Amino acid sequence: MRPNTVGWLMLAPTIAILGIFGIIPFIYVLYVSFHQWNPFGASPDMIYNGANNFRRLVFDAEFLTSIAFTMKFAFFAVLSEIALGYLLAQLFMKEFPGRGFFRTIHTLPLIVAPIVVGSVWRLMTTPSIGIIPYLLKSWFGYDLNIGRDATAAFALTVIMDIWHWTPLVTLTLLAALLALPKEPFEQAQIDGANRRQIFWHVTLPMIRPAILATVFIRLMDALRTVDEVWMLTSGGPGAATRFVGLHIWKIVFPKTDYGYGAAISVIVLYLTLVMCWLLYVALVARRERKRTF
Amino acid sequence: MIKKSGIGIAALALSLLAGVMPAQADFWSDAGAKYKGVVLRGVTESTPPSNYIKDVLAPEFEKKTGIKVQIETTSWDQMYDKAIKDMEAKTGIYDMVYIEQDIIYAYLARNFLVDISKSLKDDPSLKAAEFNETHFTTFANYFKNGSGDLFGIPMEAFIKVYLYRTDLFSDPKIKEAFKKETGKELAPAKTHQEYTQIAEFFTKYGKDNGTELWGTTAQAHTGHPASWYEFFESIAPTYGLYNWGIDAKNNFAASVANGGQMNSDKAKAAMKYWLHLRDIAPPESAASTWTEVGTTFAAGRVAQGLVYGENAAWIASDAEKSKVVGKVGVALPPTEPDVLKEVEAGKGYLGYYDGGAFGLPVTSKNKQAALLFLQFIGQDSVQPDWAVAAPRITNTATYNDPKVVAMDKKLNGYYTMLKDQGKLFAGAPPFPFHAQVREATTPIFYKILLGEVGPDEGLDQMAAAAEAELKNLGYRK
């Protein structure tokens, strides 16, 4: 076997960047997570405290609540984005007047920075001032107050995320649908399959890799969402939208509890990996195993 | 003849000499010459006073000294995030950082800042004649160490005042209706009872008349620490509860059981009073920070409220942003009976003396040039225009300037109150663990606001959480 020097040379810049900006900071975070370190404490030094930070977070009700809310948020947001994104992608596959125009403008939310999205939604939802509470009151007599209604605030964070990220899903699935060969569909039609059967047995299996990739990307994004929610609700009311990314931010920056914040970050990374692995096993590996038998 | 021609030659020589000598420069150009081309970088919160530094004072300084100044104005959170990270990591990106009064103790504890007084004493060539530390108001004391050395140049200072709508309070029909309902004359409240009565009256008045008017503001955000600050800095002191109820001299006790006051009867009464006001305030109050409280008042949606001084000024004077220009009165916050006497006797404070200074991080790579800039913004001559453009006063020489006197009239005596009664207000307590205790207790505080836990039980939990955090930080033994 001859050594592929050129290949390694070409990979070297990527490996260097990954090492400097990914692996080294991760190792540092891991190191910090085993220490008690608050620079504004009576002793600002880093003190090794073994696994105490990890033990602490198991009993930390605030952390566990934030994890639960984050899971709920990720579930509703990602599921809705995939469903809506697929429907829009199917719509954009069809010919209709202005299709090009709509295809273009539906991607506009993607180019808006999350912090701006949060600000705009905050303006639109501020009680007494925003257009959304105004319309809900005028049309349905419903008083929307995101400062007091935890369910409404949570729902709004999900809706805002759907508004922002569904176009990404649409684009990915549209690309996958456009790349599908025509023959399997024609064959299915000849065999007398109806639209539902074609969707379940032809379209879905063929675009599964694209769906999975999109789900992984969106899931990881949803689990670490911070800026949009910070602008919209600041994590409130109470802890209703204090998702884990925001929780880590509050622990690390205002509270400057670096050791504990690092421990939470490590655990959240681990949870994200486990979730993605479980999803992969459930949707891909099992199916591939069946196929080999 | 010889004498005459000699004088003529001497005069000619002198004039020729003067012609070839460089012009006599002032202090700024002389002192700045050594640092010409240096670029100073500062980070601050985006507020009118900071924007004035960025837009007016920095270019003026650059013109006089040749030292470039880049001021980055950003949000409150980002400003702290950037400054602390820079000083913590010792990267030396910033030569000037904004120090809000409540964080100075944490910065001093970490030795983040340069001793300005000592640095100027050690190198007199940097000392500007126009800069005089003794001209600052007493607010500067917050930025001094035990020896009286200054660690920050005060650049803004405000008091959180009681604002009321003069047009509503003097409307004969409203006055009559108020008297009919309460049996009292309508006048700015001096006690909590009076304030509550006025608030209830105006909220009902707005509802009955179908107008968007409520009786009071409430800075009661359920996810942002602004609400926590309103309670501990503005409401609790008017009940005689100071320093968040934490007794630093008694092993940092917070709970009554250990000698603190955070869950005392005074705290519980204050909380109930404030929660009631929140309930009769405009609906946006549950999502309001200090900014939204200002805009609510400026939109003419409330009859009275506690408003930060930096907002009070534009509400009263900026017709482009405020609907109530010329209709704003200023008064001291209402208190419990006897609290004002206690405060006047120097045993407490009435509300929050807010503000900040510009400090020089020890990690700065351009300390000498930065010292020049800090003196430039602290000198007497730049203060009056600054005070008019962005209402704030940190220098005693500013009060009597005709421009400031005229502005004071516009603000209905706000500056006079700052000058005469500023001593009744106080900044945050001298705790180096400010943000840490706040963040440890806010989750419970928000639960109280949402009614998930009662005020009494909630304050008990907060006191316990504060003590646990202080123990964790190593302050409480």
Side-chain angles (χ1 to χ4, degrees):
Chain A
M1 204 163 131
R2 93 193 142 84
N4 194 344
T5 320
V6 178
W8 279 111
L9 273 175
M10 292 181 84
L11 272 177
T14 309
I15 292 171
I17 290 169
L18 192 69
I20 293 167
F21 296 107
I23 294 167
I24 294 173
F26 173 72
I27 292 169
Y28 184 65
V29 168
L30 201 60
Y31 172 74
V32 172
S33 70
F34 288 98
H35 292 78
Q36 185 185 338
W37 185 24
N38 192 323
F40 292 106
S43 165
D45 303 327
M46 243 195 219
I47 302 161
Y48 176 74
N49 71 347
N52 274 350
N53 288 331
F54 294 95
R55 196 175 299 136
R56 181 177 155 195
L57 60 83
V58 177
F59 303 103
D60 182 350
E62 279 174 29
F63 166 69
L64 297 175
T65 308
S66 77
I67 283 283
F69 277 125
T70 310
M71 296 292 179
K72 211 163 105 179
F73 168 78
F75 175 77
F76 285 118
V78 176
L79 196 69
S80 310
E81 284 158 18
I82 296 291
L84 206 58
Y86 178 77
L87 289 176
L88 281 170
Q90 281 289 6
L91 182 72
F92 288 135
M93 290 282 286
K94 296 185 185 346
E95 281 294 339
F96 62 89
R99 185 176 73 154
F101 173 72
F102 284 112
R103 263 191 193 183
T104 309
I105 64 155
H106 103 284
T107 57
L108 287 181
L110 284 179
I111 57 171
V112 185
I115 201 84
V116 178
V117 171
S119 308
V120 171
W121 276 79
R122 183 173 170 178
L123 280 175
M124 292 198 303
T125 54
T126 300
S128 316
I129 298 163
I131 181 95
I132 294 175
Y134 173 77
L135 293 177
L136 288 174
K137 178 79 179 168
S138 316
W139 292 345
F140 309 108
Y142 173 69
D143 267 321
L144 173 72
N145 192 331
I146 57 163
R148 288 197 168 197
D149 187 341
T151 312
F154 177 82
L156 271 172
T157 57
V158 174
I159 294 168
M160 177 175 67
D161 198 78
I162 293 170
W163 178 84
H164 196 185
W165 294 111
T166 299
L168 175 78
V169 180
T170 309
L171 282 182
T172 322
L173 297 187
L174 186 61
L177 288 171
L178 285 169
L180 292 180
K182 282 182 184 168
E183 292 76 13
F185 293 93
E186 289 167 354
Q187 190 64 54
Q189 277 173 334
I190 291 165
D191 291 345
N194 60 28
R195 286 174 69 179
R196 195 172 56 85
Q197 286 168 322
I198 292 176
F199 170 73
W200 280 112
H201 300 293
V202 182
T203 316
L204 204 56
M206 290 174 80
I207 62 166
R208 179 173 287 116
I211 291 178
L212 267 177
T214 316
V215 167
F216 285 150
I217 292 169
R218 284 304 308 130
L219 185 66
M220 285 186 276
D221 272 350
L223 290 175
R224 62 181 186 185
T225 187
V226 175
D227 23 18
E228 283 167 308
V229 179
W230 170 245
M231 276 312 295
L232 180 64
T233 62
S234 300
T241 59
R242 190 167 163 152
F243 302 137
V244 74
L246 201 52
H247 185 69
I248 293 172
W249 183 84
K250 288 193 176 196
I251 296 285
V252 172
F253 292 107
K255 216 173 167 190
T256 58
D257 196 346
Y258 296 158
Y260 188 50
I264 299 180
S265 303
V266 170
I267 285 296
V268 170
L269 175 68
Y270 175 72
L271 284 177
T272 309
L273 291 175
V274 168
M275 279 178 65
C276 288
W277 177 75
L278 285 176
L279 209 63
Y280 175 79
V281 169
L283 297 175
V284 182
R286 228 171 55 183
R287 204 167 283 267
E288 277 174 1
R289 222 178 299 139
K290 264 186 196 171
R291 220 176 281 156
T292 54
F293 284 116
Chain B
M1 183 69 188
I2 293 167
K3 204 176 177 184
K4 267 189 182 173
S5 59
I7 291 170
I9 289 164
L12 184 67
L14 271 173
S15 59
L16 282 171
L17 199 63
V20 294
M21 268 175 70
Q24 180 57 48
D26 68 358
F27 167 79
W28 298 110
S29 55
D30 284 351
K34 275 191 268 181
Y35 311 104
K36 206 168 182 177
V38 165
V39 181
L40 295 175
R41 292 193 67 190
V43 62
T44 181
E45 187 184 359
S46 179
T47 60
S50 291
N51 289 332
Y52 187 84
I53 295 182
K54 183 184 175 188
D55 301 334
V56 180
L57 297 179
E60 222 172 86
F61 177 76
E62 195 174 319
K63 209 170 154 188
K64 287 191 173 178
T65 59
I67 300 169
K68 283 190 176 14
V69 182
Q70 293 174 353
I71 301 288
E72 196 179 326
T73 53
T74 181
S75 71
W76 180 70
D77 316 88
Q78 277 298 302
M79 175 264 298
Y80 275 134
D81 193 13
K82 290 182 172 201
I84 292 174
K85 271 183 193 161
D86 178 47
M87 295 187 289
E88 184 68 46
K90 298 183 173 64
T91 39
I93 293 171
Y94 295 113
D95 305 298
M96 280 109 45
V97 292
Y98 177 82
I99 319 161
E100 197 165 1
Q101 181 275 327
D102 51 22
I103 205 156
I104 181 73
Y105 309 104
Y107 283 8
L108 289 180
R110 294 295 321 277
N111 294 319
F112 276 166
L113 302 171
V114 167
D115 182 337
I116 295 170
S117 308
K118 187 176 175 297
S119 302
L120 293 176
K121 214 187 253 176
D122 291 349
D123 187 352
S125 70
L126 288 172
K127 174 77 177 66
E130 283 183 77
F131 175 76
N132 192 334
E133 280 183 26
T134 62
H135 288 190
F136 288 122
T137 61
T138 52
F139 185 67
N141 295 340
Y142 288 112
F143 302 95
K144 290 179 180 173
N145 65 0
S147 324
D149 280 5
L150 199 61
F151 284 77
I153 302 296
M155 49 77 74
E156 61 180 16
F158 319 94
I159 47 176
K160 193 171 179 185
V161 286
Y162 167 27
L163 285 195
Y164 62 94
R165 289 272 300 279
T166 50
D167 57 328
L168 298 176
F169 275 64
S170 59
D171 185 316
K173 275 185 193 169
I174 293 176
K175 284 174 85 171
E176 198 187 317
F178 184 78
K179 189 157 191 184
K180 202 175 160 190
E181 202 163 308
T182 64
K184 290 177 183 170
E185 294 296 335
L186 179 59
K190 285 192 164 49
T191 65
H192 292 130
Q193 196 195 1
E194 288 171 4
Y195 188 89
T196 306
Q197 212 164 32
I198 296 169
E200 286 170 346
F201 168 79
F202 274 110
T203 296
K204 186 170 176 290
Y205 179 86
K207 204 173 178 185
D208 292 347
N209 290 281
T211 56
E212 296 272 295
L213 181 70
W214 284 264
T216 179
T217 58
Q219 186 179 297
H221 200 294
T222 48
H224 190 282
S227 49
W228 189 94
Y229 281 122
E230 169 133 308
F231 178 72
F232 280 109
E233 288 175 342
S234 306
I235 304 295
T238 62
Y239 274 79
L241 178 79
Y242 312 113
N243 300 329
W244 311 348
I246 294 175
D247 189 350
K249 289 178 184 159
N250 183 15
N251 192 22
F252 295 98
S255 66
V256 171
N258 292 322
Q261 290 283 307
M262 195 180 268
N263 59 340
S264 63
D265 290 343
K266 282 178 185 174
K268 289 171 181 174
M271 180 65 87
K272 285 167 195 164
Y273 160 76
W274 185 58
L275 288 175
H276 175 60
L277 292 183
R278 189 272 315 261
D279 290 340
I280 55 172
E284 65 267 29
S285 302
S288 289
T289 68
W290 32 72
T291 311
E292 287 82 12
V293 162
T295 47
T296 293
F297 200 102
R301 293 168 62 78
V302 285
Q304 54 176 1
L306 295 178
V307 180
Y308 280 88
E310 64 256 55
N311 293 326
W314 67 259
I315 289 169
S317 63
D318 188 344
E320 277 184 23
K321 292 200 283 187
S322 169
K323 285 184 180 175
V324 294
V325 170
K327 300 172 186 170
V328 179
V330 186
L332 290 176
T335 64
E336 279 296 277
D338 297 333
V339 167
L340 187 58
K341 277 184 203 162
E342 193 175 287
V343 170
E344 282 170 339
K347 292 177 185 164
Y349 54 91
L350 204 54
Y352 188 43
Y353 206 144
D354 172 35
F358 254 35
L360 170 54
V362 289
T363 49
S364 160
K365 290 165 186 158
N366 303 297
K367 290 192 187 71
Q368 288 78 8
L371 277 169
L372 288 177
F373 182 72
L374 292 178
Q375 290 180 90
F376 187 81
I377 65 168
Q379 59 182 333
D380 296 356
S381 58
V382 304
Q383 305 298 326
D385 284 334
W386 194 0
V388 173
R392 34 61 77 206
I393 287 182
T394 57
N395 187 313
T396 49
T398 319
Y399 287 118
N400 297 327
D401 187 276
K403 290 176 198 164
V404 176
V405 171
M407 187 70 182
D408 189 39
K409 273 187 193 157
K410 254 187 174 178
L411 303 181
N412 241 328
Y414 170 73
Y415 283 151
T416 307
M417 180 182 274
L418 187 68
K419 183 182 172 189
D420 298 339
Q421 288 164 314
K423 61 185 179 216
L424 303 179
F425 294 77
F431 298 153
F433 45 74
H434 185 108
Q436 289 67 34
V437 168
R438 184 195 70 209
E439 287 302 314
T441 51
T442 45
I444 308 162
F445 187 78
Y446 299 145
K447 282 185 184 174
I448 299 175
L449 293 187
L450 290 169
E452 290 173 10
V453 58
D456 292 358
E457 195 193 336
L459 283 164
D460 290 343
Q461 290 179 15
M462 281 173 68
E467 285 180 350
E469 181 66 16
L470 287 164
K471 200 167 183 181
N472 188 36
L473 289 168
Y475 291 101
R476 186 172 161 76
K477 305 297 170 202

